[in-house]
Amino acid sequence: MSPVQDAPTERLALSGWQRLSPWAVGLLLISAGATLVRQHMPLLLGAGAGLAMVERVGLRELALGGVLLLLVAGLLSLLYYRRFRFRLDGDVLIVQKGLFEHREFKVAARHVQHIALHQPAYMRPFGLVLWEVETLAGEASSIQLPGIRRGLAEALGHGLRGAASIAEEKGSPGSDSDPTGARGAVRRFTLTPAALILHGLTSRSIYVIAAMLSPLIRPLERWLHDRLPQLDLQAWLPESTLLAIVLGVLGLVAVLALLAVLAAWWRFHGYVLRGDGERQVQVSGLFARQEQVLSLSRLQVVEWVQTGLGRLLGRGYLVCHQFGAMGGGEAAEARRFLVPGLTTEQGRELTAVLWPGLNLGQPLARVDVIYRRVVFLRLLLGSSLLQLAVLGLVGPGGLHPATWGAAAATLLVISAGVAQLRWMAMGWAQEGAHMRIRQGLWGQRTSIFPLQNLISVSVQQSWLQRRRGVATLQLDLANGRVGLPYLPERVAWTLANRLLASVEVGQAA
């Protein structure tokens, strides 16, 4: 029996009030308790605070207090379970919840832009998932059902697609093995283990991990200060100090790279992207499996992202943005529809699938050469201030004049090279009804979007730009602002008028 034939039965079953699984309430209680203990464990163990509390209160009284708190938490969880209910009224999802304050949420199917299913490892034996729906307002208005049966989650997804999506799925027989419930889905991309490792090495995770581990630098420094005098380092460290520093830096980079690969393996293991008509479905995760559904009608911007190492290895990833998904690096990209470990050719093919009719063969146009001069002057000013600061620290006689001259010449060459690369990396092209904008220096990010998806267009000019006859074009999109600096003034105004006309035509259509 096809999903279309099952749809009336599913919608009839969901029209009555549904509740969370009792197993989910117990699991959420345990996970919340573990999180609370983990957050306050440093306070209890630090400086003997836990032992002082035990001696002051007493072990027996402390255990009775813990049992009492557990009973209170259990009663509150039972009350929360009784008040949490949801149902599908036509094409409107109604959720009622609240412990002391009763609240009701309603989400119309036409306002749904993103549906995600998460299955942590502790929920997998019970067949439960965390079901989340996101509206056009973005993450701030998302609604989560923290623990329902997988079949019920899939039925909710089918019900919220609306009559138009159900009509599109006619003739596609169902399959029990397909998590989307559609046998007609086409497998568009499968992430291989080699591609997964390359994505971990070339993604921005290594910078995020380095930032997360930065608070450990001071404790590690103190530990080394206390332990190094007691260790016989001469037996295994090289005699050259420079070689020892190089080996230490390489070891640190290797550890960060290993952690980045493990993070990518944790998140994207078993990654599969399937296309089912207007819907694109991805499934991934090592222990915590997650499933995300992207509706092409809600798609606003597609970004092709390559880090510096990714450009050398020919690897990158696609980030699909919808309404309410503001920019914000790797941490924010964790909640977005992301296709990792792609080669350049695979990125082009998938972009053409997401934006039908797009032709990426047109070369990118560069901004005016004045942009290169401005970047060069800024870098030259910064390097000059750096030299003056060093001169103030070491004094005029601290270094030989030839050394100062060599340093100044080196900084001059570096500034000129960086300015040239920045100018060459900045580019744009209008390809029919789509626009492509590339930004970045070592790593690059290329935004591709239909002209009608623009939110606003503005032309800005500083006093220097007015004198030189150039202007900056600012484009506001669903994922943030994209700028084209130092365009010729005539080109900037012509492009702005063309973009606004395309937006008006799209709104009228």
Side-chain angles (χ1 to χ4, degrees):
M1 185 176 293
S2 68
V4 179
Q5 294 171 343
D6 288 341
T9 305
E10 294 173 351
R11 295 173 69 88
L12 182 60
L14 291 173
S15 61
W17 289 109
Q18 306 288 331
R19 296 188 181 274
L20 300 177
S21 171
W23 290 108
V25 178
L27 292 174
L28 290 175
L29 176 61
I30 295 174
S31 62
T35 302
L36 186 64
V37 171
R38 185 173 64 252
Q39 291 176 350
H40 294 84
M41 186 64 71
L43 297 177
L44 295 177
L45 298 182
L51 294 176
M53 180 180 294
V54 172
E55 292 179 357
R56 183 178 181 87
V57 179
L59 184 60
R60 179 181 177 183
E61 288 76 7
L62 195 62
L64 291 177
V67 172
L68 181 60
L69 288 177
L70 186 61
L71 291 176
V72 172
L75 292 176
L76 293 179
S77 300
L78 181 60
L79 182 60
Y80 181 78
Y81 167 75
R82 290 177 58 86
R83 292 194 173 183
F84 196 115
R85 59 180 186 171
F86 59 94
R87 69 186 180 95
L88 194 63
D89 186 7
D91 62 345
V92 178
L93 174 64
I94 304 175
V95 179
Q96 295 181 354
K97 62 179 181 178
L99 192 58
F100 301 105
E101 179 183 0
H102 186 70
R103 292 176 292 174
E104 181 175 281
F105 301 89
K106 294 183 179 181
V107 178
R110 64 181 180 275
H111 294 155
V112 173
Q113 73 162 353
H114 180 75
I115 296 176
L117 276 74
H118 305 275
Q119 192 175 40
Y122 58 85
M123 283 191 173
R124 193 175 300 178
F126 302 93
L128 304 179
V129 296
L130 298 174
W131 187 86
E132 185 176 10
V133 60
E134 190 174 299
T135 65
L136 298 178
E139 300 173 6
S141 63
S142 62
I143 296 177
Q144 188 180 85
L145 303 180
I148 59 176
R149 296 290 179 182
R150 188 177 185 88
L152 183 58
E154 294 177 358
L156 275 176
H158 282 286
L160 287 177
R161 290 186 202 119
S165 298
I166 295 177
E168 182 183 351
E169 293 177 356
K170 287 184 177 180
S172 300
S175 173
D176 296 336
S177 61
D178 194 332
T180 66
R183 188 178 296 170
V186 178
R187 180 170 294 193
R188 301 201 183 277
F189 176 70
T190 301
L191 188 63
T192 62
L196 180 59
I197 295 174
L198 289 176
H199 175 73
L201 294 175
T202 59
S203 67
R204 303 178 189 272
S205 299
I206 189 170
Y207 308 115
V208 178
I209 293 174
M212 293 174 60
L213 296 179
S214 59
L216 300 178
I217 294 179
R218 295 298 297 273
L220 180 61
E221 182 182 357
R222 289 194 296 267
W223 182 83
L224 291 176
H225 182 269
D226 297 335
R227 292 289 182 177
L228 281 180
Q230 306 173 9
L231 299 177
D232 185 14
L233 301 179
Q234 300 296 331
W236 54 278
L237 278 181
E239 297 181 358
S240 174
T241 305
L242 179 61
L243 181 59
I245 294 176
V246 171
L247 291 178
V249 172
L250 291 178
L252 178 62
V253 172
V255 171
L256 292 177
L258 177 61
L259 293 177
V261 171
L262 292 178
W265 204 280
W266 177 279
R267 181 182 174 192
F268 295 112
H269 174 72
Y271 184 97
V272 176
L273 175 65
R274 295 183 177 91
D276 180 21
E278 202 263 347
R279 297 183 306 122
Q280 306 297 314
V281 183
Q282 66 174 18
V283 182
S284 64
L286 181 59
F287 296 107
R289 299 291 291 175
Q290 63 177 359
E291 176 181 319
Q292 290 181 303
V293 180
L294 173 69
S295 177
L296 295 183
S297 61
R298 304 294 190 186
L299 185 60
Q300 296 296 305
V301 183
V302 174
E303 287 185 329
W304 169 248
V305 183
Q306 281 186 304
T307 60
L309 185 58
R311 292 178 61 192
L312 292 177
L313 299 179
R315 293 283 172 170
Y317 57 92
L318 287 175
V319 184
C320 303
H321 296 275
Q322 302 177 97
F323 283 115
M326 301 300 292
E330 184 79 11
E333 287 174 359
R335 290 180 53 86
R336 301 199 183 103
F337 197 93
L338 191 145
V339 187
L342 297 171
T343 63
T344 304
E345 186 61 30
Q346 289 173 334
R348 288 177 175 269
E349 294 176 356
L350 281 178
T351 303
V353 171
L354 298 174
W355 296 130
L358 176 64
N359 182 17
L360 298 176
Q362 182 177 348
L364 295 176
R366 294 197 177 103
V367 298
D368 197 272
V369 292
I370 298 177
Y371 177 69
R372 179 177 59 190
R373 300 175 190 172
V374 171
V375 174
F376 172 70
L377 292 176
R378 290 174 180 173
L379 294 174
L380 193 61
L381 178 61
S383 60
S384 301
L385 294 177
L386 178 62
Q387 275 194 313
L388 290 176
V390 174
L391 180 63
L393 290 175
V394 302
L399 295 175
H400 194 272
T403 306
W404 287 111
T410 302
L411 291 176
L412 182 65
V413 172
I414 293 176
S415 300
V418 171
Q420 176 70 18
L421 293 177
R422 284 282 300 271
W423 176 70
M424 293 177 61
M426 181 71 66
W428 64 278
Q430 182 182 349
E431 299 167 322
H434 296 79
M435 191 166 185
R436 183 159 50 112
I437 299 177
R438 186 181 65 191
Q439 295 176 316
L441 176 62
W442 176 236
Q444 294 183 352
R445 184 180 293 261
T446 304
S447 301
I448 307 169
F449 56 91
L451 302 180
Q452 64 181 13
N453 287 355
L454 280 173
I455 298 176
S456 66
V457 181
S458 62
V459 179
Q460 301 176 359
Q461 279 185 301
S462 63
W463 66 272
L464 177 61
Q465 289 177 329
R466 287 195 299 269
R467 290 188 59 185
R468 296 295 183 178
V470 294
T472 297
L473 186 65
Q474 298 287 357
L475 308 177
D476 290 320
L477 302 169
N479 64 311
R481 173 170 291 184
V482 179
L484 284 175
Y486 293 91
L487 288 174
E489 187 175 3
R490 179 181 55 82
V491 175
W493 283 107
T494 302
L495 185 58
N497 294 330
R498 191 182 304 167
L499 294 176
L500 289 175
S502 300
V503 173
E504 293 174 355
V505 170
Q507 290 177 350

